[in-house]
Amino acid sequence: MNFDPLFQSQIASLKEEGNYRVFAELERINQALPRAKNHDPDMPTEVTVWCSNDYLGMSQHPKVCKAMKEAIDAGGIGAGGTRNISGTNHEHILLEKELSDLHGKEAALLFTSGYVSNWASLSTLGSRLPDSIIFSDSLNHASMIEGIKQARCMKVIWQHNDVEDLDRKLAQAPANSTKIVAFESVYSMDGDICPMKEIVEVAEKYNALTYLDEVHAVGLYGPHGGGIAEQEGLMDRITLIEGTLGKAFGCMGGYITGSAALCDFIRSFASGFIFTTALPPALAAAARLSVAHLKDSDVERRAQRRNVEQLRAKLNAAGIPHMDNPSHIIPVLIKDPVKCRMLSDYLMREWGIYIQPINYPTVPKGTERLRITPGPYHSDEDIDRLVQTLNHLWKQCKVSRAVA
């Protein structure tokens, strides 16, 4: 039997809705951020990238690249298998120590990605702690949702960043249940930041475990890059802090930090850790140098914040509607999937500006957007050119402008 028609029919539906995803074939140019080569013959050969999660450009920092090259020369590429089978590489231990220190915790545990660290940790906590109930913010990431599903315990969804709703729902839970409050610090699509202190206080009121996803905040916030929890002085009051090495730290991998007992518990029972090949030691070495550098250096963060503020101000002056938030993420709302794709294509084809459209299911239908993430290496000329181009497209395509 030919199953391809079943696949093709659903792909066709995606295309009709305007939600079919097309990946740009790009090749980053070392030491030339934010430039990249474009391998599409119908597009400009070089583009300016405005939507990378390599928020601080650490993937091309000379110290980070040097650390990875030296680790490859010393020990080769791969880890050789899971940490149980091949042994825990020394670089894994050094990186875990660096991460536990970053978050002021006793221990840390590495995973192959932030997605896996969320899925594995939440599913393990929910499935193995007695009478677990996971209280999940309604806008939590897909990886957290998947972990909660796999936990097969009771779950309660509380309204996004609504502390009063969380309080009400925790109050309704049985007194003998193990309560787990799962939330993020910076939400990646709207760029809003949670009311962390209030969430923590409510969780403490009901003796709940707090599970914080800081993937879009680590490296970027706090005096040492420890995230919003460090910035707000709350790291010691949060049970588990989860992060990624693949965004501001410019590498790859995910991790959790917490007490030694908590990390040992996840290490011992999480299938997503036990049965997965470990991160290549060279990646761990590069990540360790990146984390250590951003603990001491504020140069990259200050340059990024300046560019974020400058772009927001110029978008405001041009009447280009973007979501107001306190983070580094600038969502420019289009609210139509076809028009969002069209604008993205125009930007790439006519001006060599790459901003990937964000459509359903990443965001709800009717909230389609261009998600812009200025980095420290965008120049004033890059910013001016982006705003001028968007202004031109808003006139040409008759897109609604912001009301002054």
Side-chain angles (χ1 to χ4, degrees):
M1 180 176 175
N2 181 11
F3 291 95
D4 282 356
L6 298 177
F7 309 140
Q8 291 164 348
S9 66
Q10 295 199 36
I11 293 296
S13 297
L14 270 183
K15 290 180 178 179
E16 288 172 11
E17 296 166 0
N19 291 322
Y20 181 72
R21 300 176 187 217
V22 178
F23 297 155
E25 187 181 349
L26 304 181
E27 181 182 351
R28 305 175 89 199
I29 305 170
N30 193 25
Q31 305 305 311
L33 291 172
R35 313 287 176 241
K37 292 178 184 177
N38 188 356
H39 287 271
D40 187 331
D42 298 323
M43 297 286 184
T45 56
E46 186 174 296
V47 299
T48 302
V49 178
W50 277 100
C51 54
S52 175
N53 283 347
D54 183 11
Y55 292 133
L56 298 178
M58 292 303 293
S59 66
Q60 296 187 10
H61 193 285
K63 283 172 28 177
V64 176
C65 294
K66 182 172 181 283
M68 190 167 189
K69 288 175 183 176
E70 289 178 349
I72 289 173
D73 289 342
I77 303 296
T82 68
R83 287 169 68 169
N84 179 56
I85 289 174
S86 296
T88 286
N89 190 278
H90 184 55
E91 287 293 349
H92 297 145
I93 298 298
L94 293 178
L95 175 54
E96 287 173 342
K97 288 180 178 178
E98 195 74 60
L99 291 166
S100 61
D101 178 72
L102 174 67
H103 294 290
K105 299 295 187 185
E106 287 183 341
L109 188 67
L110 287 173
F111 292 84
T112 51
S113 71
Y115 191 104
V116 174
S117 57
N118 267 334
W119 160 69
S121 300
L122 279 166
S123 63
T124 303
L125 290 168
S127 63
R128 297 200 67 92
L129 295 180
D131 302 312
S132 293
I133 305 175
I134 299 178
F135 296 80
S136 177
D137 184 287
S138 62
L139 290 189
N140 276 342
H141 187 267
S143 58
M144 300 177 78
I145 294 169
E146 188 62 29
I148 294 166
K149 286 180 180 176
Q150 292 299 318
R152 294 182 173 85
C153 65
M154 183 177 176
K155 69 174 184 293
V156 175
I157 310 300
W158 50 286
Q159 294 175 28
H160 177 55
N161 282 345
D162 188 333
V163 180
E164 291 182 359
D165 188 48
L166 174 62
D167 194 327
R168 283 192 297 270
K169 287 173 176 173
L170 282 167
Q172 294 167 2
N176 64 342
S177 60
T178 303
K179 304 168 188 68
I180 302 167
V181 175
F183 61 105
E184 301 180 37
S185 56
V186 178
Y187 286 82
S188 64
M189 289 299 117
D190 290 354
D192 56 330
I193 297 176
C194 75
M196 192 177 295
K197 183 174 184 290
E198 291 81 359
I199 292 172
V200 169
E201 287 174 347
V202 168
E204 289 173 343
K205 176 181 173 182
Y206 295 97
N207 197 30
L209 181 158
T210 41
Y211 184 109
L212 170 63
D213 178 317
E214 286 259 46
V215 297
H216 290 276
V218 290
L220 296 166
Y221 300 90
H224 303 99
I228 300 297
E230 184 191 25
Q231 178 177 285
E232 301 299 317
L234 294 166
M235 291 195 298
D236 61 319
R237 295 171 65 181
I238 294 166
T239 315
L240 183 154
I241 298 176
E242 183 264 354
T244 184
L245 304 168
K247 294 182 170 62
F249 294 129
C251 297
M252 179 183 176
Y255 65 88
I256 62 166
T257 63
S259 70
L262 169 59
C263 290
D264 194 26
F265 171 79
I266 300 296
R267 182 192 71 88
S268 299
F269 293 109
S271 63
F273 175 84
I274 295 169
F275 300 108
T276 302
T277 298
L279 278 179
L283 261 176
R288 177 168 57 87
L289 262 291
S290 182
V291 173
H293 175 82
L294 289 174
K295 281 181 181 177
D296 296 328
S297 174
D298 203 37
V299 172
E300 295 82 5
R301 287 189 281 270
R302 283 189 281 107
Q304 187 219 32
R305 287 167 191 161
R306 173 195 174 274
N307 284 346
V308 170
E309 291 170 6
Q310 188 175 352
L311 179 56
R312 284 190 187 279
K314 293 189 175 185
L315 289 173
N316 285 336
I320 305 297
H322 59 96
M323 297 181 75
D324 185 25
N325 65 54
S327 79
H328 58 284
I329 296 166
I330 305 178
V332 174
L333 292 178
I334 310 300
K335 301 182 180 180
D336 178 273
V338 175
K339 192 170 285 187
C340 195
R341 174 82 259 175
M342 178 184 69
L343 289 171
S344 175
D345 289 344
Y346 279 165
L347 285 166
M348 179 81 103
R349 186 173 60 246
E350 303 297 332
W351 289 279
I353 292 171
Y354 175 58
I355 309 175
Q356 180 72 355
I358 306 294
N359 292 344
Y360 178 84
T362 306
V363 295
K365 292 179 180 180
T367 68
E368 293 79 10
R369 66 200 62 185
L370 300 174
R371 177 183 178 273
I372 302 174
T373 52
Y377 298 105
H378 286 103
S379 66
D380 291 350
E381 292 76 17
D382 289 332
I383 293 171
D384 288 340
R385 187 165 180 269
L386 173 62
V387 174
Q388 290 164 8
T389 303
L390 290 173
N391 194 35
H392 172 79
L393 281 177
W394 252 244
K395 292 177 183 175
Q396 180 179 324
C397 301
K398 296 182 172 57
V399 183
S400 298
R401 290 185 181 269
V403 178

